Amino acid sequence: MATQDELKKLVGYKSVDDYVKSGMVVGLGTGSTAYFAVERLGQLLSSGELKDIVAIPTSIRTKEQAESLGIPLVTLDTHSKLDVAIDGADEVDPDLNLVKGGGGALLREKMVEVCADKFIVIVDESKLCEGLGPGFPVPVEITPFCHEHTLRTVAALPSCAGCNPVLRMGSSSSNAPDGDEIAITDNGNYIVDLHFAEPIKNAPQMAADIKSTVGVVEHGIFCGMTTAVIIAGKDGISVKE
């Protein structure tokens, strides 16, 4: 039986093997599954199997990993159009809508991934769900200014009914409280994690409502962006498009 890390490695490697070609601009995700895609890209560049690749990282830690592997990096400022972006997800529903941002990189991930011709999501089967919400809290990145007011405003939205908003503490890369200080994202903002007991009834509506709230920078609901999901399970690898 493959361990969860072995499953993550399988999908991470497959995403690069199947979707990245020489000459591409590639978005590099953040997190324990995306880590293996970055690792594979570095291997194939080093071996010469891939050439003329530039990549855009979605976090400081992905940037550091890519630099350590010799992957040439650029930013959206010079390359606003990407051929492909590869990243993990915290939840995937049957319509391939996602919850992302457990690792705290949701703003940069969405900025990069929305610019990609193809967005390839890599997960193990534990991330599949019938409805977003109960399996993983929805992160919302907010400005530090009057953050308690913004937290209350978001929680009071009708489309967020039933959520329990929790300010992320400690490290921004984990939604488990692991410190006494408020967590700070790479962009200097705070994160509120919205905990739901029941599936979100209308994720696209909730996404729009949260985004239009003043004080919100971005949220971790990724609707209508996914090209394909590569899923590692006990029966092997499958792809949903």
Side-chain angles (χ1 to χ4, degrees), residues 2-19:
T3 65
Q4 198 173 26
D5 264 355
E6 287 165 343
L7 294 177
K8 289 176 178 182
K9 185 171 180 174
L10 284 173
V11 290
Y13 277 36
K14 182 176 172 64
S15 65
V16 174
D17 292 347
D18 290 1
Y19 289 97

Side-chain angles (χ1 to χ4, degrees), residues 84-234:
V84 65
I86 299 169
D87 205 353
D90 300 307
E91 277 194 314
V92 183
D93 78 3
D95 297 323
L96 306 189
N97 295 318
L98 316 172
V99 170
K100 289 177 50 52
L106 55 149
L107 173 61
R108 295 189 187 193
E109 286 171 348
K110 193 175 282 187
M111 287 181 71
V112 169
E113 285 149 15
V114 79
C115 297
D117 288 345
K118 291 182 176 175
F119 177 33
I120 308 306
V121 177
I122 46 178
V123 295
D124 65 81
E125 63 187 355
S126 70
K127 306 295 172 63
L128 304 181
C129 66
E130 285 307 308
L132 301 179
F136 202 90
V138 176
V140 180
E141 187 160 341
I142 64 171
T143 58
F145 176 73
C146 296
H147 64 276
E148 291 179 9
H149 159 76
T150 305
L151 181 154
R152 286 196 304 271
T153 305
V154 169
L157 292 168
S159 55
C160 294
C163 84
N164 174 34
V166 178
L167 188 64
R168 193 175 290 193
M169 304 296 288
S171 161
S172 67
S173 62
S174 166
N175 64 7
D178 55 3
D180 301 329
E181 301 287 319
I182 298 173
I184 310 271
T185 68
D186 283 353
N187 318 297
N189 297 314
Y190 294 171
I191 292 178
V192 178
D193 290 298
L194 305 180
H195 294 252
F196 289 87
E198 300 290 323
I200 296 163
K201 291 180 180 63
N202 186 336
Q205 181 65 52
M206 189 178 108
D209 292 348
I210 294 175
K211 185 69 193 243
S212 64
T213 302
V214 177
V216 168
V217 180
E218 193 49 84
H219 57 73
I221 300 174
F222 286 50
C223 289
M225 288 174 57
T226 308
T227 306
V229 182
I230 306 177
I231 305 149
K234 54 185 181 298

